[in-house]
Amino acid sequence: MIDHDEALRRIITRAQEDAGFRDQLKAEPRAAVASLLGIKIPSVVSVTVVEDSPTHLHIVLPAENDQLSDADLDAVAGGAGVSWSPTGPSAASGGSLLAGWNDA
């Protein structure tokens, strides 16, 4: 299992080094990320890739109702975060970030 920062580092590094992967990432982000990281991304999770430019900056905000449990807060304070496994992302507390979602 790799954490969120490591997953993001791998994706960005590969996109910077491999123009074909960068094109695939922009055209088919779900397939590109799943293949690179060796994970399954549930169909209820959208994957969007945007590219900054000299005239357009993207800022990603957490979900408005995105609240951490006490266990997640403790883990974050200790340097933990989201982990990625072959079955998808999970929270620092070990619970699934997709709990309660149904894969269609």
Side-chain angles (χ1 to χ4, degrees):
M1 214 180 329
I2 62 173
D3 66 23
H4 177 269
D5 291 341
E6 175 62 15
L8 190 57
R9 185 195 65 75
R10 287 184 189 182
I11 294 165
I12 291 171
T13 298
R14 178 76 180 270
Q16 290 174 327
E17 295 173 349
D18 181 341
F21 176 76
R22 186 182 192 94
D23 291 342
Q24 181 191 18
L25 187 61
K26 291 190 290 185
E28 300 176 67
R30 173 186 302 280
V33 170
S35 176
L36 178 68
L37 300 179
I39 62 171
K40 177 183 180 225
I41 301 173
S43 62
V44 297
V45 175
S46 296
V47 179
T48 304
V49 173
V50 294
E51 189 171 26
D52 286 337
S53 74
T55 60
H56 198 134
L57 173 65
H58 296 88
I59 299 172
V60 179
L61 299 174
E64 190 171 322
N65 295 325
D66 191 13
Q67 298 179 353
L68 297 174
S69 68
D70 288 340
D72 285 339
L73 286 172
D74 289 341
V76 171
V82 175
S83 296
W84 292 80
S85 72
T87 57
S90 62
S93 63
S96 173
L97 291 177
L98 308 175
W101 291 6
N102 294 319
D103 191 358

